[in-house]
Amino acid sequence: MTRQHVRRLTLFMLLAPFLLWILLMIVLPHLGIFALSLREKVAPLVYTIGPKNYLDFLREPIYWNTLLRTASISILVTALTFLVGFPIAYYIAKIAGRRVKGALFLACLIPLWVSDLVRAYGWMILLRETGVVSSVLQWTGIVDGPVELLYNDATVVVGLVYTVVLFMIVPLASTLEGMDDSLIEAGYNLGGSGFTVMRRIVIPYAMPGIVAGSIIVFMLTAGSYLTPILLGGKNSMWFTEQIYEQFITRFNWESGATFGILLLLFTSLTVWLGLRLSGQSLATTVARSEA
Amino acid sequence: MAYDLECERVRKRFGAFVAVDGVSFRIPRGSFFSILGPSGCGKTTLLRMIAGFETPSEGDILIKGRSVLALPPNRRNVKLVFQHLALFPMMNVEENIAYGLRCKGMAKGEIARRTADVLERVGLPDARRKDIGQLSGGQKQRIAIARCMVLDPDVLLLDEPLGALDLKLREHMKIELKMLQSRFGTTFLYITHDQSEALVMSDRVAVMNDGRFEQVGEPRELYHHPKTAFVAGFVGDSNRWPGRVLDRDPAGMRVETRSGLIFIADVTDGGIGKGDAVDVFVRPESIAVTRGEGAGGQDASGETNRRTGRIEGVLFNGANTRILVRTSTGDQIEADLPQGGAEANLGNGDPVTLTWKRTGAKCFARAGGTQAR
Ligand SMILES: Nc1ncnc2c1ncn2[C@@H]1O[C@H](COP(=O)(O)OP(=O)(O)OP(=O)(O)O)[C@@H](O)[C@H]1O
Ligand SMILES: [Mg+2]
């Protein structure tokens, strides 16, 4: 065996677990789901292949309305997450001292210690009719009777932003960390105002981090289940809820698989559009946010 | 005379630490002024105060006769070339240069015209559309200067801008910078720890140490008439011997080193008296070298010092040759050989006689903690 063979074999052995993981956990299930979504039931236990499930989706406005609604709320959440996360990331990366920096990063990670479910229940304890916020408002006399703060879109959005903001802060802070402070100073020295420096220097520099963070946040939000269901209640009209219902409640696996594929396609399309509009490409984003 | 930049007793404290300690100077319009000092002496801090990124703890800074302490950095018409240039990587050359003009709200056509004009002036008319990553080190340098000069600053501040370049390019850029300065006619304040950069380019140089100016003067003056031990040791190469004063008269003094060498030296500091600890500095090029031991021994009377010794090392660097001589008393002396002539081919182990005039030896009181070499 030549050295080159050895090297190739080594590479293969190193990559094998990763490739297996991709194949077994991602490619195969999706192929299975895709196949399932093309199956049409003509009689009990008799199936043919066809696009009926997809046509059903298009024919029923409530389905695609839910999908559009999920996508637009996810975009809103992504934008809000950026607005909330950017100042925090900027503070961590550029303003805080060395020790404060570590503490802040840790503080950002703490919510991850607690499971999604517990966090959502935490929100419920705060916001329900008999919850902490409602009681405090009544006690201070700001409101007369109990107020229900759960089960509306605003609460869902706030809950989602809270859940995913960390995934915006981390890539942003690490991109900003790599930015030489003298670039910002040069921006001021050459006559830029605080706003100009932000818009023309800091944000363009942080673009790969912004894109990476936005993609993660958008995908996580669009695919999230617990937060919208628990905070939004039965009427939250979240697309993952439809998928769950098809699979579990109606036992209609074909339709559930179709919805799953549609969600994947639709979110991918949105991300692609976002990349096109911001003039970034996935490859440069990954390469630059790693560098 | 009109001054573009004046500093009056500027002081900067970081907690208990004083980084800049009461510095005063004035830079006449259109001149090239350098601040030369070792690492950590406060050069960058001083520059950052002038640019507005730090606030002086005391003192005043005036640009064109007006105090700028109340102005934020983006309202001061001093532009800074950063040590690592800080060109904006997400913009191309043209956008980098146009940035400052756009901040001023200038019209598009005018921006394009000025950008092209300044690129022409720094000798890179074809670089407009290039990305920053496509430029060589020297080209980046010139773009960084162009980016500032296009704004027509009152003073251009440069913080060791040649530090990142390799030796050859640095030599070239020294000349280039000087030419650019005279072409633009702008006042330059140049900061460096490299004495050759300061001497070659500047009209005037301030030597800085520990937050203070030791001496301000023209390059020749600093080189030939240093006022303090630090300047004598820092500017140019020197032999330095610590010693003690044996006796003095108005013209000069006799100094004995620990090893027993005796010098006659020029008094540079009036306050030195008999018995004081002093440093004696002698430049290698003011030592004359002759072959052979001659009369032997040492002589330190009248106007000249004479020593004999053997060559221990020969350092050839092209333009001149330096020899290291070990004297009979065990001291090492560095001397330069004249170009050509009978002494040019001296080699290791050869006996030589070294002579230098009293005026070639400068004597300074030894300050506690002065770290001249
Ligand atoms: N923000 C700061 N806080 C505390 N100390 C500082 C600060 N900035 C600079 N110093 C200290 O002030 C001194 C002078 O620093 P400065 O950067 O001005 O040196 P310099 O002359 O530019 O050195 P170099 O040639 O290495 O760049 C240093 O001892 C440095 O540690
Ligand atoms: Mg410095």
Side-chain angles (χ1 to χ4, degrees):
Chain A
M1 251 186 350
T2 65
R3 268 179 63 145
Q4 210 176 3
H5 282 117
V6 174
R7 217 183 282 160
R8 238 181 246 169
L9 190 69
T10 321
L11 184 69
F12 177 76
M13 303 228 297
L14 284 173
L15 277 181
F18 177 69
L19 290 175
L20 267 179
W21 180 67
I22 293 264
L23 188 71
L24 290 179
M25 306 297 287
I26 296 175
V27 178
L28 279 184
H30 274 91
L31 285 177
I33 288 187
F34 184 60
L36 198 57
S37 74
L38 291 176
R39 204 165 68 166
E40 289 173 11
K41 202 177 195 171
V42 281
L45 294 179
V46 185
Y47 300 100
T48 60
I49 285 180
K52 173 174 163 295
N53 295 314
Y54 291 89
L55 296 175
D56 281 349
F57 170 83
L58 289 177
R59 255 179 242 126
E60 184 58 75
I62 196 151
Y63 292 156
W64 48 262
N65 275 339
T66 310
L67 183 56
L68 284 180
R69 186 181 134 83
T70 304
S72 39
I73 291 187
S74 298
I75 291 171
L76 176 71
V77 167
T78 309
L80 287 176
T81 309
F82 171 70
L83 290 182
V84 173
F86 189 83
I88 300 175
Y90 190 81
Y91 185 85
I92 291 178
K94 288 283 158 236
I95 299 172
R98 203 151 277 292
R99 221 177 292 158
V100 181
K101 196 173 283 192
L104 283 176
F105 247 119
L106 204 65
C108 286
L109 287 173
I110 284 175
L112 285 191
W113 253 257
V114 181
S115 90
D116 260 11
L117 191 64
V118 177
R119 261 182 290 157
Y121 276 116
W123 278 106
M124 293 176 79
I125 290 172
L126 285 179
L127 298 179
R128 67 185 171 197
E129 247 179 310
T130 53
V132 178
V133 174
S134 176
S135 314
V136 169
L137 286 179
Q138 288 175 75
W139 181 72
T140 54
I142 294 176
V143 293
D144 298 333
V147 277
E148 177 61 277
L149 294 168
L150 283 175
Y151 314 127
N152 61 56
D153 285 353
T155 307
V156 172
V157 168
V158 170
L160 282 169
V161 168
Y162 166 78
T163 318
V164 294
V165 71
L166 174 71
F167 297 92
M168 183 66 92
I169 292 177
V170 172
L172 265 182
S174 72
T175 332
L176 287 173
E177 191 103 330
M179 178 177 190
D180 191 349
D181 286 350
S182 64
L183 287 180
I184 299 173
E185 289 182 347
Y188 284 112
N189 182 253
L190 294 166
S193 61
F195 177 74
T196 313
V197 171
M198 232 355 124
R199 191 176 62 87
R200 304 250 351 252
I201 293 162
V202 178
I203 301 229
Y205 188 95
M207 209 55 197
I210 296 174
V211 171
S214 300
I215 292 178
I216 299 172
V217 162
F218 177 77
M219 290 306 235
L220 280 177
T221 310
S224 68
Y225 178 74
L226 276 173
T227 310
I229 303 307
L230 291 179
L231 299 186
K234 275 288 154 225
N235 306 324
S236 64
M237 300 247 301
W238 204 251
F239 199 67
T240 47
E241 193 190 0
Q242 295 282 0
I243 299 179
Y244 179 86
E245 191 176 302
Q246 297 298 335
F247 271 112
I248 308 296
T249 315
R250 303 214 187 151
F251 231 63
N252 186 347
W253 281 48
E254 292 79 16
S255 174
T258 310
F259 286 11
I261 293 291
L262 283 169
L263 179 64
L264 180 67
L265 287 180
F266 196 75
T267 49
S268 306
L269 184 78
T270 314
V271 167
W272 178 80
L273 264 178
L275 285 173
R276 283 300 297 271
L277 288 179
S278 66
Q280 301 283 316
S281 87
L282 202 55
T284 59
T285 296
V286 173
R288 288 244 326 251
S289 55
E290 272 173 359
Chain B
M1 189 183 262
Y3 295 102
D4 271 343
L5 178 67
E6 295 163 80
C7 286
E8 287 171 6
R9 292 185 305 282
V10 172
R11 187 187 298 262
K12 178 71 190 177
R13 270 189 236 98
F14 293 111
F17 176 77
V18 181
V20 175
D21 193 2
V23 165
S24 301
F25 63 96
R26 298 170 150 190
I27 307 181
R29 185 149 304 165
S31 62
F32 196 124
F33 189 94
S34 293
I35 297 177
L36 170 65
S39 187
C41 72
K43 305 182 296 290
T44 300
T45 309
L46 180 59
L47 211 60
R48 289 173 58 81
M49 287 192 281
I50 296 169
F53 297 122
E54 305 274 3
T55 319
S57 315
E58 286 166 35
D60 200 359
I61 297 171
L62 296 92
I63 293 168
K64 291 227 185 247
R66 252 195 256 135
S67 173
V68 292
L69 288 190
L71 290 181
N74 54 354
R75 304 271 307 282
R76 299 188 186 188
N77 198 18
V78 290
K79 301 302 161 207
L80 176 55
V81 177
F82 288 80
Q83 182 155 12
H84 298 287
L85 306 181
L87 292 171
F88 305 130
M90 53 282 171
M91 304 182 193
N92 66 19
V93 167
E94 189 175 29
E95 289 164 339
N96 261 282
I97 294 176
Y99 172 85
L101 297 173
R102 285 178 62 176
C103 288
K104 280 186 171 179
M106 194 173 277
K108 274 233 169 70
E110 182 67 8
I111 292 180
R113 203 183 58 71
R114 294 208 186 186
T115 307
D117 179 55
V118 79
L119 279 173
E120 188 84 39
R121 290 222 262 173
V122 297
L124 291 170
D126 304 324
R128 276 179 51 197
R129 302 245 169 265
K130 283 197 179 154
D131 276 337
I132 297 305
Q134 294 172 314
L135 300 175
S136 73
Q139 289 172 333
K140 280 186 192 154
Q141 200 81 54
R142 282 185 265 175
I143 296 304
I145 292 168
R147 185 173 76 169
C148 295
M149 294 312 295
V150 77
L151 296 171
D152 203 10
D154 294 332
V155 184
L156 183 69
L157 311 172
L158 302 105
D159 188 0
E160 306 195 25
L162 305 186
L165 303 181
D166 61 66
L167 187 67
K168 198 86 189 162
L169 192 53
R170 203 151 63 212
E171 294 300 318
H172 174 75
M173 283 307 293
K174 267 189 226 171
I175 303 165
E176 183 89 25
L177 262 176
K178 180 70 194 160
M179 305 279 285
L180 279 175
Q181 192 263 338
S182 57
R183 213 179 305 157
F184 283 105
T186 307
T187 308
F188 274 36
L189 173 56
Y190 187 91
I191 281 193
T192 180
H193 60 245
D194 180 329
Q195 43 111 358
S196 85
E197 285 175 17
L199 296 184
V200 167
M201 294 191 281
S202 321
D203 298 320
R204 285 169 79 75
V205 179
V207 180
M208 191 171 182
N209 184 32
D210 268 342
R212 291 169 209 266
F213 279 4
E214 296 263 335
Q215 186 177 353
V216 184
E218 288 168 16
R220 273 171 219 273
E221 189 185 331
L222 291 179
Y223 193 85
H224 293 299
H225 306 290
K227 288 219 177 76
T228 68
F230 179 81
V231 177
F234 194 73
V235 179
D237 292 341
S238 270
N239 291 289
R240 166 175 172 258
W241 294 283
R244 198 160 283 285
V245 178
L246 289 179
D247 51 51
R248 67 167 288 178
D249 57 47
M253 59 177 64
R254 292 206 309 139
V255 177
E256 182 178 27
T257 68
R258 277 193 213 106
S259 57
L261 265 182
I262 297 180
F263 288 96
I264 49 172
D266 241 9
V267 190
T268 329
D269 180 348
I272 303 175
K274 191 170 172 182
D276 284 350
V278 291
D279 279 321
V280 178
F281 292 88
V282 181
R283 296 217 184 272
E285 72 267 19
S286 38
I287 300 178
V289 182
T290 44
R291 191 187 285 275
E293 300 262 344
Q298 66 166 337
D299 176 25
S301 57
E303 283 296 298
T304 33
N305 293 284
R306 187 166 53 75
R307 294 292 166 279
T308 55
R310 281 179 186 277
I311 297 181
E312 260 193 348
V314 179
L315 312 173
F316 175 71
N317 84 351
N320 67 5
T321 306
R322 175 157 301 174
I323 54 172
L324 310 177
V325 177
R326 183 70 63 184
T327 66
S328 44
T329 48
D331 290 279
Q332 183 176 291
I333 302 182
E334 293 184 20
D336 283 350
L337 289 182
Q339 193 95 358
E343 280 74 27
N345 58 355
L346 281 168
N348 274 353
D350 289 349
V352 287
T353 304
L354 308 174
T355 52
W356 64 93
K357 293 225 168 60
R358 190 199 71 213
T359 49
K362 312 277 182 211
C363 183
F364 297 94
R366 176 131 32 100
T370 314
Q371 7 95 310
R373 14 177 263 125

